[in-house]
Structure formats: structure tokens, C-alpha cells
Amino acid sequence: MHNVVILGSRFGGSASAYWLHKLFDAQEIQITIVDQWAVMTYRPALVHVAAGHPIQADNWHIPMARRYSQAGFRFIRDTVYQIEPHNQTIRLATHPPLPYDTLFVATGADPRWDLIEGLAPHHGGVCEDYLARESGYLLSRAQGPIVIGVGSLYSSGKPLRLQTSLDLPALEVAFLVDAWLRKHHRREERPITVLTPASVPGESLGPKSQAILTRQLDQRQIRLITGACINKVEASKVTLFPHRVIKAEQMIWIPPYYGSELARLSGLDDGWGWIPTDQYCRHEKWPNIYAVGDINALALPKVGHIAMIQAKVAVHAFWASMHNKPSQPFTPYILHVIWTGYGCGLFTLSDILYGGHREWVHWGMPAALAKTFFSRSYRHFLGWMPIMP
Ligand SMILES: Cc1cc2nc3c(=O)[nH]c(=O)nc-3n(C[C@H](O)[C@H](O)[C@H](O)COP(=O)(O)OP(=O)(O)OC[C@H]3O[C@@H](n4cnc5c(N)ncnc54)[C@H](O)[C@@H]3O)c2cc1C
């Protein structure tokens, strides 16, 4: 039987498992999923956790291992430290070496706090449960100015260059923190500043969405500093190049992204830590390795929707190669909603980033409801929804 291994079990890994389950007969392949966690922290919900709702973090741990056991897949909870493509083996921290015939890598990007001088997780963040939870508690305890900072995205610039690791959740946090502080009559004493290396808010969205975001930030007195070149972070201040100092009694950071250490150590990366693939998400050198989601060099911006689309493309390409059939390449587009507080959200469907002309935008309650509905469905169906993107 063909031996398929999936590394990583969040948006990309879980969707890969879904499509393998859907397309293949149980007798054709055996599937093993490896992740260091048996539960998935659903990151889109962490923006609410950081914005004053710390105990909500407990609602967003999805038991993925249960989903796989229901499907008859093997799940190994362990840390992968190397992939050896020459002998088709994965080295794990505590289990014996794991062989594969076909491999799907969906282990995401590593946060690189150290790329900004002085910056470390204790300054505050939102990308993982413990960071968002701490930010949420601190919001009610701390006083004074808040800085929401976004690190850079380090990449070859091919096929396109984005400045920020991910600015969309940072903007979302800013809006939700603003709404929470206003509700608790504390907004006056807590000025909010967003620092982004990009030249516009929502750099991966189109001009209409960017204009709405700029207007909303302005109306809600959230200061936006674009083109921010962050020199140094200290306990209660951020220094921007050349000499601008921004005071901060609380910070919430999306750290820089610089690819994946696992990809580098395994010799699978493009020199920047990202896995280079063709339009079918197949590794440029190793055709039995697919890369899905944040770790894929073509996944720009680094969002869950693109991870899910790539999982679909990669598994269909694998199925097609096994059955001598054609399949569809990865054609990126943005489908994203930013919760902006007060029950509203900004919906964007756009391919402008990739040279297209399509930009559908809606700002209002239906957008926020759609994102809430998606999130709850994802949790309810343990990542395998009746309709998958
Ligand atoms: C706060 C926040 C909010 C977001 N909101 C949105 C949103 O609203 N919409 C959207 O589309 N995107 C959103 N994103 C982006 C989205 O979360 C990511 O793009 C998505 O999670 C990428 O999925 P992935 O499967 O590629 O990688 P990841 O989510 O990073 O998952 C990687 C998995 O691999 C495992 N892993 C990693 N290394 C190893 C190892 N060595 N051994 C074993 N296991 C390993 C990890 O435990 C993890 O489970 C948000 C991100 C953040 C930080």
C-alpha cells in the first residue's frame, strides 16, 4: 500500500488529510499524520482572546487527533526534526524513523522574534494561545499606550514581495482592542499605535479594502505608522529608524517570519526557509514531496485560506499522478474577512495582488457573521466541513 505522511495538522495538514480521505479508496493508501500537538489552536479566534477575552482561548482547541482516528488514520504526536528526501524518511524526536512514499509538509513558518533587536515573546503577542491569553489579561490590568507591531516577511521576493509577515491579524487586534476599551470607558487613557513595514494597511488586499481600513483606523483614532523600520524593542518603548521613539506600556506583536528551520535543516528550502514548488505544490526537486500552506514559497500572504486551497491542489495533483489524469494548478486569490468590532467586518475577495482586476469588498455585519459562522463550523466539524474551500 502507498505510504502517505502528512507533517503538520492545522489548516494545511488537516485539509490535506480531508482531501486524501475524500479522493482515495482506503485500500489504496495508508495515511499517517504527525504534529507536536494533538489539538489545533484555531489562530483566527486568538484576535478576540488578545482583545480582552482571555478565557475564550479554551474554546478554540480543536481535537484533530480524534478526527483522524475516526477516519482510520494513524496520528503520531511528536516533533519532526528532519526530513531525509534521499531515503524517504522522517526523523522524529521520540519515535523511530518514519518512512514515506509521498510526503505532505504543512508545518508552517517559524516565528523569528530574534530578528528585531530586543524583541522576545515576553513583550506580548497573539499568534499562539499563551501569547494571546496573556495579552488579553494585560489589556484589563495595564495602563498607558498600546503598540501593535508587525514584523517583516523575509523571502526571495519571488513570485512577489510582501513587506509584512502578516498585517491582517494585527489590524484586527487593533480594531477589537479599540472596541473593548471603548466599551469599558478606558479608550481615552490608552492610545493605540499600529506599526507596519508595509506602505498601506492590508498590503495583500486591494485598494478598495485598503481605503476602508485607512478610513476606519482614522475614524477610530488608531494611529498607523507605515513603512516602519523597527530598530529596537525595550520594556516600554519601540525605536524606529532613524531615531523615532514610540512609548508602549503594552505591546502585541506578530513577529517576523523567515521560513522554516525544518525545511532548512532538511535541505528542502529556497535559501530563505520556504519550500519552492511548482503550481501543483510539488517540490521543485523531489516530486514525491508536496508543500502546503505557510511553508510553501508560493503561499502569499501567509493565510489559512491559501493553506486550504493549496492542500486541495496538492492532493488532487497527487491523485491525478497516481491515476494518470490531469489536475488544476494553484491559482491564488484572496478571500479574507477582518473583524473590525461592533459586530462588523471587512470582506475582501481579490486577485489584484497577483496581477488580476477583481476586487469585491463589503464592510458591515454580514462579513463579520460570515467569519464567525466559518470559525464555528470549522470547530464543530473538526476542520472537515461539509463544504471545503
Ligand atoms: C493571530 C492570527 C490570526 C489569523 N487569522 C487568520 C484569518 O482570519 N484568516 C486566515 O485565512 N488566516 C489567518 N491567519 C493565518 C493562518 O493562521 C495561517 O496562515 C495558517 O495557520 C497556516 O496554516 P499551516 O497549516 O500552513 O501552518 P500552521 O498553522 O503554522 O500549522 C503548522 C502545524 O505544524 C506543527 N509543527 C510545526 N513544526 C513542527 C515540527 N517540527 N514537528 C511537529 N509538528 C510541527 C504545528 O504544531 C502546527 O500544528 C491568522 C494567523 C494569526 C497568527
Side-chain angles (χ1 to χ4, degrees):
M1 222 197 279
H2 195 92
N3 182 16
V4 178
V5 174
I6 303 172
L7 305 181
S9 169
R10 279 206 275 215
F11 282 102
S14 157
S16 301
Y18 168 89
W19 288 109
L20 288 167
H21 183 62
K22 195 163 168 75
L23 295 189
F24 285 87
D25 289 338
Q27 302 80 356
E28 256 183 299
I29 55 173
Q30 62 178 21
I31 300 170
T32 306
I33 297 124
V34 184
D35 199 297
Q36 56 208 355
W37 303 109
V39 293
M40 166 194 185
T41 298
Y42 183 81
R43 291 204 289 190
L46 294 180
V47 293
H48 285 287
V49 174
H53 304 284
I55 53 169
Q56 280 190 15
D58 292 329
N59 300 340
W60 292 100
H61 297 149
I62 304 176
M64 303 311 270
R66 194 197 310 159
R67 153 63 65 218
Y68 304 135
S69 97
Q70 283 166 0
F73 299 170
R74 179 180 177 214
F75 177 79
I76 300 177
R77 183 177 173 183
D78 206 342
T79 299
V80 182
Y81 70 85
Q82 197 168 12
I83 301 160
E84 295 177 350
H86 296 92
N87 53 15
Q88 299 188 189
T89 302
I90 294 145
R91 300 274 162 195
L92 301 171
T94 62
H95 286 75
L98 183 65
Y100 65 84
D101 296 315
T102 296
L103 178 66
F104 290 81
V105 188
T107 46
D110 294 325
R112 286 293 302 273
W113 301 85
D114 57 302
L115 292 177
I116 296 177
E117 189 186 337
L119 181 66
H122 71 260
H123 286 112
V126 60
C127 296
E128 295 299 340
D129 170 297
Y130 68 100
L131 293 167
R133 202 182 282 261
E134 189 52 30
S135 296
Y137 281 122
L138 206 56
L139 191 65
S140 51
R141 284 203 311 266
Q143 292 177 338
I146 300 172
V147 162
I148 298 168
V150 189
S152 297
L153 179 71
Y154 291 79
S155 77
S156 67
K158 292 183 212 142
L160 55 96
R161 179 168 298 289
L162 289 176
Q163 301 298 329
T164 63
S165 56
L166 191 56
D167 62 348
L168 304 173
L171 295 164
E172 215 166 12
V173 171
F175 287 123
L176 296 175
V177 162
D178 167 72
W180 189 91
L181 289 170
R182 285 180 199 274
K183 187 173 162 203
H184 292 84
H185 310 290
R186 296 192 47 211
R187 182 65 172 90
E188 298 281 292
E189 56 183 88
R190 307 218 62 192
I192 303 171
T193 304
V194 176
L195 303 176
T196 171
S199 56
V200 281
E203 64 166 335
S204 55
L205 311 178
K208 287 186 203 157
S209 297
Q210 289 157 357
I212 293 174
L213 287 170
T214 306
R215 202 167 54 240
Q216 280 292 314
L217 289 165
D218 193 43
Q219 279 172 7
R220 291 166 66 169
Q221 286 124 24
I222 299 170
R223 182 167 62 148
L224 176 71
I225 300 183
T226 54
C229 179
I230 299 152
N231 246 355
K232 194 173 182 183
V233 176
E234 291 165 89
S236 52
K237 64 178 184 191
V238 180
T239 310
L240 304 181
F241 183 81
H243 299 298
R244 190 170 175 188
V245 172
I246 315 287
K247 291 220 162 93
E249 289 308 320
Q250 179 175 4
M251 300 181 208
I252 301 176
W253 284 92
I254 310 270
Y257 287 177
Y258 192 179
S260 147
E261 215 37 45
L262 173 63
R264 271 192 200 93
L265 270 174
S266 308
L268 290 173
D269 75 312
D270 61 355
W272 294 82
W274 310 104
I275 297 188
T277 71
D278 63 14
Q279 295 294 331
Y280 299 90
C281 302
R282 205 182 283 126
H283 193 278
E284 282 180 351
K285 184 169 166 208
W286 304 99
N288 63 338
I289 298 182
Y290 295 82
V292 165
D294 283 6
I295 198 168
N296 186 315
L298 301 179
L300 293 165
K302 304 293 176 192
V303 289
H305 175 251
I306 285 187
M308 293 178 84
I309 299 282
Q310 285 197 328
K312 184 176 179 180
V313 168
V315 175
H316 278 79
F318 169 51
W319 183 89
S321 72
M322 297 274 281
H323 297 88
N324 294 320
K325 295 264 173 30
S327 71
Q328 295 291 322
F330 171 55
T331 312
Y333 62 95
I334 305 285
L335 176 59
H336 195 84
V337 177
I338 295 180
W339 280 307
T340 54
Y342 304 108
C344 290
L346 173 65
F347 169 91
T348 306
L349 176 64
S350 166
D351 59 5
I352 287 185
L353 182 67
Y354 315 104
H357 303 285
R358 197 166 44 143
E359 190 188 11
W360 292 338
V361 171
H362 168 76
W363 184 77
M365 281 190 176
L369 283 174
K371 183 162 179 171
T372 303
F373 178 73
F374 175 89
S375 298
R376 292 194 179 164
S377 303
Y378 196 97
R379 181 177 62 184
H380 178 77
F381 292 107
L382 309 180
W384 291 12
M385 296 173 294
I387 301 169
M388 293 283 276

